[in-house]
Amino acid sequence: MISLKDVTKEYRLGKSVINALRGIDLEINEGEFISLCGPSGSGKSTLLNLIGCLDFPTSGKIMVMDKDVSELSDAVLSRLRNNTIGFIFQMFNLIPVLTAYENTEYPLLILGMNRKERQARVSRMLDEVGLSKFIKHKPDELSGGQRQRVAIARALVTNPKIVLADEPTANLDSQTGIEILELMKMMNEEHKTTFIFSTHDQKVVRYAKKVYNITDGRINS
Amino acid sequence: MKTILLSLRNIFRNKRRTAITFMAIISGMTGIIVFGGFVKFTYQGLRESTIRTQLGHVQIYKKGYSEKGVANPNKYLINNPEAVEKALSVIPDIKMVSSRLTFSGLISTGEKTLTCKGIGIAVEKEGEMSDFETIVEGGQLEPDMPDGGVVGIELMKALGAKVGDYLTILTTTTEGAINALDFKVVGVAQTGSQDYDSVFVKLPIKLVQRVLDTDSAEKIIVLLNDTDNIGRVSLVLEDIIKKNGFNLEYKLWSDLAIFYNKVVQLYNGIFGVIKIIIGVIVLFSIANTMNMSVFERVREIGTLRAIGTTRAGIMRLFISEGILVGIIGGLFGIAAGILIAYIINLSGGIYIPPPPNMNKGYIALILIVPEVILYAFVSTVIVSALSSIYPAYKASKLKVVEALGHV
Ligand SMILES: Nc1ncnc2c1ncn2[C@@H]1O[C@H](COP(=O)(O)OP(=O)(O)OP(=O)(O)O)[C@@H](O)[C@H]1O
Ligand SMILES: [Mg+2]
């Protein structure tokens, strides 16, 4: 489904070059539930951003749905992010002026789905994440855990192939973090959606069916 | 749909900043609406007063008068003015047709002699056209005063004469012989133009025709019921001149109103500059707000991009925000502009001091001019859209990862 071949990523800060990723080879398949584990600065976010088509590698090849990412236009990449990839962020990243319902609905609006189907999907999704009572709430009227549930609903509402979650529990207390992971796991089993989440928390790693350890820009399996 | 919803929510997100932007738009539009209404009022007032007190809507002359008549007016007189007046009187839009005959000469009290410009009018017809003269002493010329005359105030002062005095005018007939007439000063008038006040003597046309030894007129003044009908009337007029074989030419008021045309030019120039200044202020004000709003929402832009919004979609989002600000602010601006105009009018208008070379000011009211309002609204929306282009472009060019990392 997604494959990375000898992918590197360099950041240039003035004269110094930071090798954030140094030759990553990776194969991600349908229905996986993967944890990307490593210390701070090891390259987890960088890797997830590349997989999510938010950034481009310095060298190497990334194939998403059998397409070479480097050859795609902004419009095609945007569409890919819209309907094939879902994102969950550490800081939740909800749109503050939109309600829980509207936040969840937004990717479907971009997709251009008709009203009836949209309503059905958004309601079902918010129901699944346990927020059917909070659909009219704005993000600042929700707790951290509730916000992340909205983010999960938003990530999954388009029925993506893969959801990328960069430290989804880092801004939550451990109990809430566990609930969020349970929810993600449930979604993974129910929808067969692939999940990749990064973390440096060993308690969180336990939930993964597959763990990739990353240090210093390399995966050591 | 989603774009408009999001734009609208974002506009009212930072209420204070939006209020400041709206204030800029509202002040700008009020300025344009009020100044535009004032200008329109001035044009209209000046136009009507120029026409109704001085020029008439149309002036008819003997053919060749405009080109050569100034140097030699006696050669270019209309020799059958009554016939022409009669032919014209069938046109329904015409309110009045009246002949005039002017001359230059010397005016004397017996002790003092000065140059003067005599103007002979049909007293019984031109009552309304004397409105621009203020009688400061005595009375206006009436039809039952065959040897009466009204004299300009400055000329009167220079002569040292008073109402009731008989004055003598010396001039030449159309044949070149010297002739004189006596008239009784019935009134002293002030017109607004000091130059004019120091030379003019208004007399019944019959008296002037007698001293010039002619039955002719120099020009025939035509006044319409409504200035807007002038196009139609000039066509009919052309027709009548041709059909009757009159050897005449004519000019419309707009060709004669030098002062009016200059005022229009001047005010249009000023108005143009004001519009540009206001436009620039509003432009920068909105652009500034937009820039701040883009800066504050960098992470949000990153998020929108991550969930599938294209660069073009981000552009659309911010430009539609600009346009919406323009539309909403513009509607407020229209309301404010009309309100201020009403307040000014209800409080008695604005006193405008006399222009150079004039001695009468006037009270200006603010007209509500639909074209000006439409103009102000449309340009506000355009300016708002323009001022959001650059911020929108910047927002669309943000790198997704960097935007997401922004705090
Ligand atoms: N935009 C950037 N410019 C320069 N260097 C960067 C940038 N982003 C990341 N880096 C560097 O690249 C390396 C990998 O960073 P990355 O954010 O991928 O690590 P991480 O594993 O996600 O760390 P954390 O657990 O702290 O989130 C780090 O050394 C980091 O300093
Ligand atoms: Mg990270």
Side-chain angles (χ1 to χ4, degrees):
Chain A
M1 194 169 68
I2 293 176
S3 73
L4 286 80
K5 278 221 173 62
D6 199 20
V7 167
T8 70
K9 179 74 184 175
E10 293 173 2
Y11 292 107
R12 275 166 213 282
L13 282 178
K15 283 203 180 98
S16 65
V17 176
I18 297 162
N19 292 298
L21 296 178
R22 312 165 186 250
I24 302 276
D25 289 293
L26 200 60
E27 194 75 38
I28 298 160
N29 300 309
E30 224 158 291
E32 290 193 295
F33 199 69
I34 302 168
S35 169
L36 210 55
C37 192
S40 182
S42 56
K44 303 184 294 292
S45 298
T46 305
L47 181 55
L48 285 175
N49 290 339
L50 292 181
I51 296 172
C53 304
L54 298 174
D55 206 354
F56 299 96
T58 308
S59 70
K61 196 166 174 181
I62 301 176
M63 305 285 286
V64 177
M65 300 293 128
D66 300 326
K67 275 173 244 157
D68 185 343
V69 166
S70 65
E71 287 167 0
L72 303 178
S73 68
D74 176 63
V76 175
L77 286 173
S78 300
R79 170 89 353 178
L80 201 63
R81 289 195 298 260
N82 180 224
N83 61 13
T84 310
I85 306 169
F87 291 92
I88 299 168
F89 302 93
Q90 178 181 339
M91 310 273 275
F92 322 127
N93 286 22
L94 300 177
I95 305 300
V97 292
L98 300 179
T99 63
Y101 184 92
E102 289 162 344
N103 264 289
T104 310
E105 186 187 29
Y106 207 87
L108 299 181
L109 290 168
I110 297 173
L111 197 60
M113 183 181 283
N114 73 57
R115 190 191 171 85
K116 222 173 145 195
E117 203 179 336
R118 225 164 55 214
Q119 277 177 346
R121 277 227 216 169
V122 174
S123 305
R124 200 184 62 224
M125 214 59 238
L126 284 168
D127 202 29
E128 280 186 51
V129 299
L131 284 180
S132 37
K133 290 210 179 81
F134 297 90
I135 58 170
K136 292 231 169 79
H137 289 238
K138 296 256 175 80
D140 59 6
E141 297 158 353
L142 296 170
S143 71
Q146 288 172 326
R147 285 183 215 184
Q148 203 59 306
R149 282 166 190 271
V150 177
I152 291 172
R154 180 179 69 183
L156 284 162
V157 75
T158 56
N159 258 330
K161 294 280 178 207
I162 182 167
V163 171
L164 305 171
D166 193 0
E167 312 213 26
T169 60
N171 266 17
L172 302 170
D173 61 74
S174 52
Q175 179 54 39
T176 313
I178 286 166
E179 282 169 28
I180 290 296
L181 274 169
E182 300 271 6
L183 181 62
M184 281 167 51
K185 194 157 193 172
M186 190 185 93
M187 294 300 189
N188 164 253
E189 277 155 13
E190 211 162 287
H191 298 276
K192 300 283 167 272
T193 311
T194 303
F195 274 78
I196 308 179
F197 62 95
S198 71
T199 184
H200 47 236
D201 184 346
Q202 285 307 318
K203 275 181 289 186
V204 171
V205 176
R206 281 207 316 259
Y207 284 85
K209 293 176 190 157
K210 197 185 224 175
V211 179
Y212 290 122
N213 284 302
I214 179 165
T215 41
D216 220 7
R218 282 199 184 88
I219 290 176
N220 19 19
S221 38
Chain B
M1 233 314 278
K2 62 174 193 297
T3 303
I4 291 175
L5 171 80
L6 200 52
S7 305
L8 212 54
R9 296 265 176 92
N10 279 318
I11 287 170
F12 294 103
R13 181 169 178 177
N14 189 329
K15 298 213 171 60
R16 209 171 70 94
R17 197 164 62 206
T18 303
I20 292 170
T21 311
F22 280 172
M23 277 317 292
I25 292 176
I26 289 168
S27 331
M29 283 190 61
T30 304
I32 288 177
I33 290 172
V34 168
F35 193 69
F38 160 75
V39 166
K40 182 82 174 188
F41 177 88
T42 305
Y43 289 174
Q44 247 178 35
L46 189 61
R47 182 186 82 183
E48 290 306 308
S49 81
T50 306
I51 290 169
R52 300 201 180 271
T53 62
Q54 297 177 46
L55 301 175
H57 286 96
V58 186
Q59 293 197 356
I60 300 169
Y61 323 102
K62 175 99 161 201
K63 209 171 214 114
Y65 174 89
S66 307
E67 232 176 287
K68 293 169 248 167
V70 186
N72 208 342
N74 290 341
K75 286 255 165 62
Y76 292 95
L77 296 180
I78 303 166
N79 34 34
N80 49 352
E82 271 101 13
V84 178
E85 283 189 29
K86 192 149 174 258
L88 294 181
S89 63
V90 301
I91 307 176
D93 293 313
I94 288 186
K95 187 176 179 191
M96 180 211 85
V97 182
S98 171
S99 299
R100 283 188 189 174
L101 182 57
T102 62
F103 66 95
S104 304
L106 297 171
I107 186 165
S108 174
T109 55
E111 284 156 29
K112 225 172 180 177
T113 304
L114 291 167
T115 57
C116 73
K117 187 157 168 51
I119 163 166
I121 62 154
V123 179
E124 70 283 2
K125 290 180 183 168
E126 291 205 23
E128 187 199 356
M129 295 199 67
S130 316
D131 282 355
F132 83 115
E133 306 165 354
T134 314
I135 297 294
V136 292
E137 220 186 314
Q140 190 50 272
L141 205 51
E142 299 291 341
D144 62 355
M145 301 169 178
D147 65 344
V150 168
V151 183
I153 181 166
E154 302 295 332
L155 181 57
M156 214 46 188
K157 272 189 213 155
L159 287 168
K162 53 188 193 303
V163 174
D165 285 359
Y166 276 88
L167 300 178
T168 305
I169 287 179
L170 217 61
T171 183
T172 52
T173 67
T174 51
E175 300 298 321
I178 291 184
N179 205 353
L181 74 87
D182 288 330
F183 73 97
K184 184 181 170 189
V185 180
V186 299
V188 179
Q190 191 176 33
T191 59
S193 161
Q194 286 186 4
D195 291 345
Y196 192 61
D197 288 349
S198 57
V199 291
F200 92 87
V201 179
K202 190 168 84 174
L203 300 162
I205 189 167
K206 288 273 179 278
L207 193 61
V208 176
Q209 283 174 332
R210 195 166 357 126
V211 72
L212 295 186
D213 194 21
T214 178
D215 293 326
S216 308
E218 185 185 357
K219 53 181 128 179
I220 296 172
I221 307 271
V222 178
L223 205 59
L224 308 182
N225 288 315
D226 189 340
T227 309
D228 293 339
N229 295 336
I230 191 144
R232 192 164 71 205
V233 171
S234 67
L235 287 180
V236 181
L237 184 65
E238 192 101 41
D239 209 43
I240 288 178
I241 291 174
K242 212 176 277 167
K243 244 195 315 206
N244 288 277
F246 292 141
N247 187 26
L248 299 173
E249 65 184 26
Y250 68 91
K251 279 200 164 175
L252 304 182
W253 72 273
S254 46
D255 300 325
L256 298 164
I258 299 163
F259 181 68
Y260 170 83
N261 289 332
K262 277 193 176 148
V263 168
V264 168
Q265 235 175 38
L266 177 70
Y267 277 16
N268 280 349
I270 296 174
F271 196 23
V273 172
I274 288 180
K275 281 189 221 170
I276 291 171
I277 293 173
I278 289 177
V280 169
I281 292 174
V282 171
L283 186 99
F284 278 106
S285 159
I286 299 175
N288 183 41
T289 310
M290 277 296 188
N291 261 325
M292 286 199 277
S293 142
V294 168
F295 182 75
E296 276 171 18
R297 277 149 59 190
V298 167
R299 209 158 62 91
E300 221 173 295
I301 293 163
T303 308
L304 287 171
R305 297 273 289 127
I307 63 174
T309 307
T310 56
R311 286 192 196 289
I314 297 288
M315 277 284 275
R316 272 201 299 277
L317 183 66
F318 281 92
I319 289 176
S320 84
E321 219 170 297
I323 292 173
L324 281 173
V325 164
I327 291 174
I328 298 169
L331 292 176
F332 282 128
I334 291 175
I338 292 175
L339 185 73
I340 301 277
Y342 266 109
I343 291 173
I344 291 173
N345 291 346
L346 288 178
S347 65
I350 306 165
Y351 174 74
I352 304 298
N357 222 5
M358 301 294 239
N359 46 28
K360 271 192 288 188
Y362 65 102
I363 300 284
L365 296 179
I366 310 299
L367 295 182
I368 306 291
V369 190
E371 303 95 87
V372 171
I373 291 176
L374 188 70
Y375 170 88
F377 182 74
V378 171
S379 34
T380 296
V381 175
I382 291 173
V383 163
S384 316
L386 286 181
S387 54
S388 60
I389 287 178
Y390 182 65
Y393 176 76
K394 266 199 337 198
S396 78
K397 284 293 166 205
L398 287 171
K399 292 221 167 83
V400 186
V401 174
E402 283 170 24
L404 281 168
H406 191 95
V407 259

